[in-house]
Short mmCIF file of all heavy atoms in Angstrom, two decimals:
data_model
loop_
_atom_site.label_atom_id
_atom_site.label_comp_id
_atom_site.label_asym_id
_atom_site.label_seq_id
_atom_site.Cartn_x
_atom_site.Cartn_y
_atom_site.Cartn_z
N MET C 1 0.89 -1.27 -0.04
CA MET C 1 -0.05 0.04 0.00
C MET C 1 0.91 1.19 0.06
O MET C 1 1.76 1.36 0.86
CB MET C 1 -0.86 -0.04 1.26
CG MET C 1 -2.09 0.98 1.17
SD MET C 1 -3.07 1.01 2.73
CE MET C 1 -4.12 -0.38 2.35
N ASN C 2 0.67 2.17 -1.00
CA ASN C 2 1.45 3.32 -0.87
C ASN C 2 0.97 4.39 0.01
O ASN C 2 -0.14 4.25 0.60
CB ASN C 2 1.63 3.95 -2.42
CG ASN C 2 0.27 4.34 -2.90
OD1 ASN C 2 -0.49 4.83 -2.17
ND2 ASN C 2 0.13 4.17 -4.26
N LYS C 3 1.72 5.38 0.21
CA LYS C 3 1.34 6.47 1.20
C LYS C 3 -0.04 7.05 0.93
O LYS C 3 -0.79 7.40 1.87
CB LYS C 3 2.50 7.54 1.31
CG LYS C 3 3.64 7.11 2.09
CD LYS C 3 4.61 8.24 2.25
CE LYS C 3 5.91 7.72 2.90
NZ LYS C 3 6.95 8.66 2.88
N ARG C 4 -0.34 7.28 -0.27
CA ARG C 4 -1.52 7.92 -0.64
C ARG C 4 -2.71 7.04 -0.23
O ARG C 4 -3.72 7.46 0.36
CB ARG C 4 -1.58 8.23 -2.19
CG ARG C 4 -2.72 8.93 -2.61
CD ARG C 4 -2.68 9.27 -4.09
NE ARG C 4 -3.95 9.82 -4.68
CZ ARG C 4 -4.95 9.19 -4.86
NH1 ARG C 4 -4.97 7.79 -4.81
NH2 ARG C 4 -6.01 9.75 -5.30
N ASP C 5 -2.61 5.77 -0.69
CA ASP C 5 -3.68 4.86 -0.32
C ASP C 5 -3.84 4.57 1.16
O ASP C 5 -4.96 4.49 1.71
CB ASP C 5 -3.38 3.48 -0.98
CG ASP C 5 -3.51 3.40 -2.43
OD1 ASP C 5 -4.07 4.38 -3.00
OD2 ASP C 5 -3.06 2.38 -3.07
N LEU C 6 -2.74 4.67 1.84
CA LEU C 6 -2.74 4.62 3.33
C LEU C 6 -3.48 5.79 3.95
O LEU C 6 -4.28 5.52 4.76
CB LEU C 6 -1.24 4.46 3.79
CG LEU C 6 -1.09 4.24 5.33
CD1 LEU C 6 -1.69 2.91 5.66
CD2 LEU C 6 0.31 4.33 5.69
N ALA C 7 -3.19 6.88 3.45
CA ALA C 7 -3.74 8.17 3.92
C ALA C 7 -5.29 8.05 3.72
O ALA C 7 -6.13 8.49 4.60
CB ALA C 7 -3.18 9.40 3.28
N ILE C 8 -5.67 7.59 2.58
CA ILE C 8 -7.10 7.55 2.19
C ILE C 8 -7.81 6.47 3.17
O ILE C 8 -8.87 6.67 3.59
CB ILE C 8 -7.29 7.26 0.70
CG1 ILE C 8 -6.97 8.60 -0.05
CG2 ILE C 8 -8.61 6.74 0.36
CD1 ILE C 8 -6.85 8.43 -1.57
N SER C 9 -7.10 5.36 3.38
CA SER C 9 -7.87 4.36 4.22
C SER C 9 -7.86 4.90 5.67
O SER C 9 -8.81 4.61 6.44
CB SER C 9 -7.02 2.99 4.21
OG SER C 9 -5.86 3.02 4.93
N ILE C 10 -6.96 5.64 6.11
CA ILE C 10 -7.01 6.26 7.43
C ILE C 10 -8.11 7.26 7.52
O ILE C 10 -8.88 7.28 8.51
CB ILE C 10 -5.63 6.95 7.83
CG1 ILE C 10 -4.57 5.90 8.02
CG2 ILE C 10 -5.86 7.80 9.16
CD1 ILE C 10 -3.07 6.48 8.19
N ALA C 11 -8.28 7.97 6.48
CA ALA C 11 -9.40 8.94 6.48
C ALA C 11 -10.83 8.27 6.52
O ALA C 11 -11.77 8.73 7.14
CB ALA C 11 -9.30 9.91 5.09
N ARG C 12 -10.83 7.10 5.85
CA ARG C 12 -12.11 6.33 5.80
C ARG C 12 -12.38 5.87 7.21
O ARG C 12 -13.54 5.95 7.65
CB ARG C 12 -11.98 5.21 4.79
CG ARG C 12 -13.25 4.36 4.70
CD ARG C 12 -13.09 3.37 3.52
NE ARG C 12 -11.98 2.57 3.64
CZ ARG C 12 -11.82 1.60 4.57
NH1 ARG C 12 -12.76 1.35 5.37
NH2 ARG C 12 -10.69 0.86 4.62
N VAL C 13 -11.40 5.30 7.83
CA VAL C 13 -11.62 4.78 9.25
C VAL C 13 -11.92 5.93 10.19
O VAL C 13 -12.75 5.76 11.04
CB VAL C 13 -10.36 4.07 9.67
CG1 VAL C 13 -10.32 3.79 11.15
CG2 VAL C 13 -10.09 2.70 8.90
N ALA C 14 -11.30 7.06 10.01
CA ALA C 14 -11.59 8.24 10.76
C ALA C 14 -13.04 8.62 10.70
O ALA C 14 -13.69 8.96 11.65
CB ALA C 14 -10.68 9.41 10.39
N GLY C 15 -13.46 8.57 9.38
CA GLY C 15 -14.93 8.83 9.18
C GLY C 15 -15.87 7.83 9.87
O GLY C 15 -16.78 8.22 10.38
N TYR C 16 -15.50 6.57 9.86
CA TYR C 16 -16.27 5.52 10.45
C TYR C 16 -16.28 5.78 11.86
O TYR C 16 -17.43 5.55 12.43
CB TYR C 16 -15.50 4.14 10.10
CG TYR C 16 -16.32 2.93 10.59
CD1 TYR C 16 -16.97 2.17 9.61
CD2 TYR C 16 -16.37 2.52 11.90
CE1 TYR C 16 -17.75 1.11 9.97
CE2 TYR C 16 -17.07 1.40 12.29
CZ TYR C 16 -17.72 0.72 11.26
OH TYR C 16 -18.48 -0.35 11.61
N HIS C 17 -15.29 6.25 12.53
CA HIS C 17 -15.29 6.44 14.05
C HIS C 17 -15.54 7.96 14.42
O HIS C 17 -15.43 8.30 15.49
CB HIS C 17 -13.88 6.02 14.53
CG HIS C 17 -13.70 4.56 14.49
ND1 HIS C 17 -14.37 3.75 15.32
CD2 HIS C 17 -12.86 3.82 13.71
CE1 HIS C 17 -13.92 2.45 15.07
NE2 HIS C 17 -13.13 2.45 14.12
N ASP C 18 -15.95 8.67 13.43
CA ASP C 18 -16.22 10.12 13.61
C ASP C 18 -15.04 10.72 14.38
O ASP C 18 -15.29 11.54 15.23
CB ASP C 18 -17.51 10.30 14.37
CG ASP C 18 -18.09 11.71 14.26
OD1 ASP C 18 -17.79 12.41 13.23
OD2 ASP C 18 -18.79 12.25 15.22
N ASP C 19 -13.79 10.48 13.96
CA ASP C 19 -12.60 10.85 14.66
C ASP C 19 -12.12 12.24 13.96
O ASP C 19 -11.30 12.08 13.09
CB ASP C 19 -11.59 9.75 14.64
CG ASP C 19 -10.37 10.10 15.50
OD1 ASP C 19 -10.18 11.22 15.92
OD2 ASP C 19 -9.55 9.19 15.78
N LYS C 20 -12.70 13.30 14.31
CA LYS C 20 -12.35 14.54 13.61
C LYS C 20 -10.87 14.99 13.89
O LYS C 20 -10.28 15.55 13.00
CB LYS C 20 -13.39 15.60 13.99
CG LYS C 20 -14.82 15.38 13.44
CD LYS C 20 -15.64 16.59 13.66
CE LYS C 20 -17.06 16.33 13.10
NZ LYS C 20 -17.85 15.31 13.87
N ALA C 21 -10.49 14.72 15.13
CA ALA C 21 -9.06 15.11 15.34
C ALA C 21 -8.04 14.43 14.46
O ALA C 21 -7.12 14.97 14.01
CB ALA C 21 -8.78 14.84 16.86
N ARG C 22 -8.26 13.14 14.28
CA ARG C 22 -7.47 12.32 13.44
C ARG C 22 -7.50 12.79 11.99
O ARG C 22 -6.42 12.87 11.33
CB ARG C 22 -7.71 10.81 13.58
CG ARG C 22 -6.77 9.93 12.94
CD ARG C 22 -7.04 8.46 13.27
NE ARG C 22 -5.88 7.68 12.91
CZ ARG C 22 -5.85 6.46 12.79
NH1 ARG C 22 -7.02 5.73 12.96
NH2 ARG C 22 -4.74 5.70 12.50
N PHE C 23 -8.68 13.07 11.61
CA PHE C 23 -8.87 13.52 10.18
C PHE C 23 -8.13 14.82 9.90
O PHE C 23 -7.57 15.06 8.97
CB PHE C 23 -10.30 13.60 9.95
CG PHE C 23 -10.67 14.02 8.47
CD1 PHE C 23 -10.50 12.97 7.45
CD2 PHE C 23 -10.97 15.27 8.11
CE1 PHE C 23 -10.79 13.36 6.17
CE2 PHE C 23 -11.19 15.59 6.85
CZ PHE C 23 -11.11 14.63 5.81
N THR C 24 -8.31 15.72 10.87
CA THR C 24 -7.75 17.06 10.76
C THR C 24 -6.18 16.93 10.64
O THR C 24 -5.53 17.64 9.83
CB THR C 24 -8.09 18.10 11.94
OG1 THR C 24 -9.55 18.06 11.99
CG2 THR C 24 -7.57 19.38 11.80
N ARG C 25 -5.70 16.03 11.49
CA ARG C 25 -4.21 15.81 11.45
C ARG C 25 -3.78 15.29 10.15
O ARG C 25 -2.71 15.66 9.66
CB ARG C 25 -3.82 14.85 12.70
CG ARG C 25 -2.40 14.99 13.09
CD ARG C 25 -2.15 14.42 14.48
NE ARG C 25 -2.72 13.00 14.47
CZ ARG C 25 -3.44 12.50 15.47
NH1 ARG C 25 -3.68 13.27 16.45
NH2 ARG C 25 -3.86 11.27 15.43
N LEU C 26 -4.55 14.41 9.73
CA LEU C 26 -4.20 13.71 8.33
C LEU C 26 -4.25 14.75 7.22
O LEU C 26 -3.40 14.69 6.38
CB LEU C 26 -5.24 12.65 8.11
CG LEU C 26 -5.10 11.73 6.98
CD1 LEU C 26 -3.85 10.80 7.24
CD2 LEU C 26 -6.18 10.89 6.59
N VAL C 27 -5.19 15.69 7.18
CA VAL C 27 -5.31 16.67 6.22
C VAL C 27 -3.98 17.57 6.19
O VAL C 27 -3.53 17.92 5.21
CB VAL C 27 -6.54 17.60 6.42
CG1 VAL C 27 -6.47 18.83 5.56
CG2 VAL C 27 -7.83 16.85 6.14
N VAL C 28 -3.44 17.83 7.43
CA VAL C 28 -2.35 18.66 7.55
C VAL C 28 -1.13 17.93 7.11
O VAL C 28 -0.19 18.40 6.35
CB VAL C 28 -2.21 19.05 9.02
CG1 VAL C 28 -0.83 19.82 9.18
CG2 VAL C 28 -3.32 20.01 9.31
N GLU C 29 -1.04 16.55 7.52
CA GLU C 29 0.22 15.78 7.34
C GLU C 29 0.36 15.01 5.97
O GLU C 29 1.46 14.97 5.43
CB GLU C 29 0.31 14.76 8.41
CG GLU C 29 0.68 15.45 9.81
CD GLU C 29 0.71 14.45 10.92
OE1 GLU C 29 0.41 13.26 10.82
OE2 GLU C 29 0.81 14.92 12.11
N ALA C 30 -0.84 14.65 5.57
CA ALA C 30 -0.68 13.80 4.28
C ALA C 30 -0.76 14.70 3.11
O ALA C 30 -1.35 15.75 3.06
CB ALA C 30 -2.01 12.88 4.21
N ARG C 31 0.18 14.37 2.14
CA ARG C 31 0.22 15.09 0.91
C ARG C 31 -0.86 14.53 -0.10
O ARG C 31 -0.50 14.04 -1.16
CB ARG C 31 1.60 14.99 0.33
CG ARG C 31 2.67 15.61 1.15
CD ARG C 31 3.78 16.20 0.37
NE ARG C 31 4.84 16.70 1.27
CZ ARG C 31 5.96 16.03 1.57
NH1 ARG C 31 6.17 14.81 1.15
NH2 ARG C 31 6.86 16.58 2.38
N VAL C 32 -2.13 14.60 0.26
CA VAL C 32 -3.22 14.01 -0.53
C VAL C 32 -4.20 15.19 -0.60
O VAL C 32 -4.44 15.86 0.35
CB VAL C 32 -3.84 12.85 0.07
CG1 VAL C 32 -5.03 12.29 -0.73
CG2 VAL C 32 -2.71 11.74 0.32
N ALA C 33 -4.67 15.38 -1.93
CA ALA C 33 -5.70 16.36 -2.01
C ALA C 33 -6.89 16.30 -1.07
O ALA C 33 -7.36 15.17 -0.77
CB ALA C 33 -6.22 16.37 -3.40
N ARG C 34 -7.29 17.38 -0.43
CA ARG C 34 -8.38 17.54 0.53
C ARG C 34 -9.68 16.73 0.03
O ARG C 34 -10.31 15.98 0.79
CB ARG C 34 -8.72 18.90 0.92
CG ARG C 34 -9.79 19.13 1.88
CD ARG C 34 -9.48 18.47 3.27
NE ARG C 34 -10.54 18.47 4.09
CZ ARG C 34 -10.89 19.39 4.95
NH1 ARG C 34 -10.13 20.43 5.13
NH2 ARG C 34 -12.03 19.35 5.73
N LYS C 35 -9.83 16.83 -1.18
CA LYS C 35 -11.13 16.32 -1.80
C LYS C 35 -11.13 14.76 -1.69
O LYS C 35 -12.19 14.27 -1.31
CB LYS C 35 -11.21 16.74 -3.34
CG LYS C 35 -12.43 16.16 -3.95
CD LYS C 35 -12.35 16.22 -5.50
CE LYS C 35 -13.68 15.70 -6.12
NZ LYS C 35 -13.72 14.20 -5.89
N HIS C 36 -10.01 14.15 -1.84
CA HIS C 36 -9.91 12.64 -1.78
C HIS C 36 -10.14 12.25 -0.30
O HIS C 36 -10.71 11.18 -0.07
CB HIS C 36 -8.49 12.23 -2.24
CG HIS C 36 -8.30 12.44 -3.70
ND1 HIS C 36 -9.25 12.11 -4.66
CD2 HIS C 36 -7.39 13.05 -4.34
CE1 HIS C 36 -8.75 12.55 -5.88
NE2 HIS C 36 -7.65 13.12 -5.68
N LEU C 37 -9.62 13.01 0.60
CA LEU C 37 -9.77 12.73 2.02
C LEU C 37 -11.15 12.88 2.47
O LEU C 37 -11.71 12.04 3.19
CB LEU C 37 -8.83 13.48 2.89
CG LEU C 37 -7.28 13.39 2.65
CD1 LEU C 37 -6.55 14.38 3.41
CD2 LEU C 37 -6.88 11.90 2.82
N ASP C 38 -11.78 14.04 2.04
CA ASP C 38 -13.22 14.23 2.23
C ASP C 38 -14.12 13.03 1.74
O ASP C 38 -14.96 12.58 2.37
CB ASP C 38 -13.68 15.50 1.67
CG ASP C 38 -13.23 16.78 2.54
OD1 ASP C 38 -12.98 16.56 3.70
OD2 ASP C 38 -13.19 17.84 1.88
N ASP C 39 -13.86 12.60 0.57
CA ASP C 39 -14.61 11.55 -0.06
C ASP C 39 -14.42 10.28 0.76
O ASP C 39 -15.39 9.56 0.96
CB ASP C 39 -14.03 11.26 -1.54
CG ASP C 39 -14.50 12.32 -2.52
OD1 ASP C 39 -15.38 13.08 -2.16
OD2 ASP C 39 -13.91 12.36 -3.65
N ALA C 40 -13.24 9.98 1.19
CA ALA C 40 -12.95 8.77 2.03
C ALA C 40 -13.62 8.90 3.29
O ALA C 40 -14.19 7.83 3.78
CB ALA C 40 -11.25 8.60 2.21
N TRP C 41 -13.62 10.04 3.98
CA TRP C 41 -14.38 10.29 5.23
C TRP C 41 -15.86 9.95 5.07
O TRP C 41 -16.41 9.18 5.76
CB TRP C 41 -14.24 11.73 5.68
CG TRP C 41 -15.14 12.15 6.81
CD1 TRP C 41 -16.34 12.51 6.67
CD2 TRP C 41 -14.74 12.16 8.16
NE1 TRP C 41 -16.89 12.80 7.94
CE2 TRP C 41 -15.87 12.61 8.88
CE3 TRP C 41 -13.67 11.94 8.91
CZ2 TRP C 41 -15.96 12.75 10.26
CZ3 TRP C 41 -13.61 12.11 10.35
CH2 TRP C 41 -14.73 12.53 10.95
N ARG C 42 -16.42 10.41 3.97
CA ARG C 42 -17.86 10.08 3.74
C ARG C 42 -18.12 8.65 3.48
O ARG C 42 -19.15 8.12 3.85
CB ARG C 42 -18.34 10.99 2.44
CG ARG C 42 -18.78 12.40 2.88
CD ARG C 42 -19.56 13.05 1.80
NE ARG C 42 -18.73 13.29 0.55
CZ ARG C 42 -18.04 14.32 0.36
NH1 ARG C 42 -17.95 15.26 1.28
NH2 ARG C 42 -17.23 14.50 -0.57
N ILE C 43 -17.17 8.00 2.76
CA ILE C 43 -17.41 6.52 2.64
C ILE C 43 -17.32 5.77 3.95
O ILE C 43 -18.20 4.92 4.32
CB ILE C 43 -16.25 6.02 1.64
CG1 ILE C 43 -16.51 6.41 0.29
CG2 ILE C 43 -16.22 4.38 1.71
CD1 ILE C 43 -15.26 6.27 -0.68
N GLY C 44 -16.45 6.25 4.87
CA GLY C 44 -16.41 5.62 6.15
C GLY C 44 -17.68 5.82 7.00
O GLY C 44 -18.23 4.91 7.62
N VAL C 45 -18.24 7.16 6.98
CA VAL C 45 -19.51 7.37 7.62
C VAL C 45 -20.60 6.45 7.05
O VAL C 45 -21.46 5.99 7.74
CB VAL C 45 -19.83 8.92 7.38
CG1 VAL C 45 -21.28 9.18 7.81
CG2 VAL C 45 -18.89 9.84 8.02
N GLN C 46 -20.63 6.34 5.66
CA GLN C 46 -21.70 5.44 5.06
C GLN C 46 -21.54 4.07 5.48
O GLN C 46 -22.56 3.35 5.73
CB GLN C 46 -21.47 5.59 3.58
CG GLN C 46 -22.74 5.33 2.76
CD GLN C 46 -23.89 6.17 3.00
OE1 GLN C 46 -23.73 7.38 2.99
NE2 GLN C 46 -25.01 5.58 3.35
N GLN C 47 -20.27 3.61 5.58
CA GLN C 47 -20.14 2.15 5.98
C GLN C 47 -20.69 1.93 7.37
O GLN C 47 -21.24 0.93 7.59
CB GLN C 47 -18.56 1.83 5.92
CG GLN C 47 -18.10 1.65 4.47
CD GLN C 47 -16.68 1.40 4.40
OE1 GLN C 47 -15.85 1.72 5.37
NE2 GLN C 47 -16.15 0.81 3.35
N LYS C 48 -20.46 2.89 8.23
CA LYS C 48 -21.00 2.68 9.68
C LYS C 48 -22.45 2.69 9.64
O LYS C 48 -23.22 1.96 10.24
CB LYS C 48 -20.47 3.87 10.48
CG LYS C 48 -21.09 3.92 11.85
CD LYS C 48 -20.01 3.94 12.96
CE LYS C 48 -20.55 3.61 14.24
NZ LYS C 48 -19.59 4.02 15.32
N ARG C 49 -23.01 3.62 8.87
CA ARG C 49 -24.46 3.76 8.70
C ARG C 49 -25.06 2.48 8.21
O ARG C 49 -26.16 2.15 8.54
CB ARG C 49 -24.70 4.94 7.79
CG ARG C 49 -26.09 5.63 8.12
CD ARG C 49 -26.22 6.94 7.32
NE ARG C 49 -25.46 8.01 7.75
CZ ARG C 49 -24.99 9.05 6.90
NH1 ARG C 49 -25.29 9.07 5.71
NH2 ARG C 49 -24.36 10.06 7.61
N ASN C 50 -24.42 1.81 7.23
CA ASN C 50 -24.86 0.61 6.56
C ASN C 50 -24.65 -0.58 7.44
O ASN C 50 -24.95 -1.75 7.20
CB ASN C 50 -24.21 0.35 5.25
CG ASN C 50 -24.67 1.44 4.25
OD1 ASN C 50 -25.61 2.15 4.50
ND2 ASN C 50 -23.95 1.62 3.15
N GLY C 51 -24.05 -0.44 8.72
CA GLY C 51 -23.80 -1.49 9.58
C GLY C 51 -22.57 -2.53 9.23
O GLY C 51 -22.52 -3.53 9.61
N MET C 52 -21.76 -1.87 8.30
CA MET C 52 -20.61 -2.73 7.89
C MET C 52 -19.61 -2.83 9.04
O MET C 52 -19.32 -1.81 9.73
CB MET C 52 -19.92 -2.17 6.66
CG MET C 52 -20.64 -2.46 5.36
SD MET C 52 -19.95 -1.60 4.01
CE MET C 52 -18.26 -2.38 4.02
N PRO C 53 -18.88 -3.98 9.22
CA PRO C 53 -17.78 -4.02 10.22
C PRO C 53 -16.66 -3.12 9.85
O PRO C 53 -16.39 -3.03 8.68
CB PRO C 53 -17.51 -5.48 10.14
CG PRO C 53 -17.88 -6.02 8.93
CD PRO C 53 -19.13 -5.23 8.52
N CYS C 54 -15.94 -2.60 10.72
CA CYS C 54 -14.79 -1.77 10.54
C CYS C 54 -13.62 -2.76 10.37
O CYS C 54 -13.62 -3.65 11.06
CB CYS C 54 -14.65 -0.73 11.65
SG CYS C 54 -13.22 0.31 11.34
N THR C 55 -12.75 -2.36 9.48
CA THR C 55 -11.52 -3.08 9.21
C THR C 55 -10.23 -2.57 9.97
O THR C 55 -9.20 -3.07 9.57
CB THR C 55 -11.37 -3.24 7.65
OG1 THR C 55 -11.18 -1.93 7.21
CG2 THR C 55 -12.44 -3.98 7.01
N CYS C 56 -10.36 -1.51 10.70
CA CYS C 56 -9.11 -0.91 11.26
C CYS C 56 -8.63 -1.85 12.29
O CYS C 56 -9.22 -2.78 12.78
CB CYS C 56 -9.41 0.44 11.77
SG CYS C 56 -10.17 0.57 13.50
N ALA C 57 -7.33 -1.65 12.64
CA ALA C 57 -6.62 -2.52 13.55
C ALA C 57 -7.19 -2.63 14.88
O ALA C 57 -7.39 -3.67 15.44
CB ALA C 57 -5.11 -2.02 13.72
N ARG C 58 -7.73 -1.53 15.35
CA ARG C 58 -8.38 -1.48 16.62
C ARG C 58 -9.66 -2.31 16.69
O ARG C 58 -9.89 -3.12 17.66
CB ARG C 58 -8.76 -0.11 17.06
CG ARG C 58 -8.04 0.44 18.25
CD ARG C 58 -8.44 1.87 18.58
NE ARG C 58 -8.26 2.79 17.44
CZ ARG C 58 -8.89 4.09 17.46
NH1 ARG C 58 -9.61 4.49 18.49
NH2 ARG C 58 -8.65 4.83 16.47
N CYS C 59 -10.43 -2.31 15.59
CA CYS C 59 -11.75 -2.98 15.67
C CYS C 59 -11.50 -4.39 15.29
O CYS C 59 -12.19 -5.34 15.70
CB CYS C 59 -12.66 -2.35 14.63
SG CYS C 59 -13.15 -0.67 15.21
N ALA C 60 -10.56 -4.70 14.37
CA ALA C 60 -10.28 -6.14 13.88
C ALA C 60 -9.68 -6.89 14.98
O ALA C 60 -9.77 -8.20 14.93
CB ALA C 60 -9.57 -6.12 12.61
N ALA C 61 -8.99 -6.26 15.94
CA ALA C 61 -8.22 -7.07 16.92
C ALA C 61 -9.26 -7.87 17.86
O ALA C 61 -10.29 -7.46 18.06
CB ALA C 61 -7.43 -6.11 17.80
ZN1 ZN V 101 -12.48 0.73 13.56
#
């Protein structure tokens, strides 16, 4: 997974967990267009809403 994909997956997980602090830090630190991070956040929110299990390390453990 390259850095861009990693940042996008982190943004998705942050959306899933409504973790705005993590998302904001990601926007600052990741060299990824804000639009892509916003899209990923929304996908995470949608996944939670649809009752999908989270795949992040914390939840999968
Ligand atoms: Zn999770």
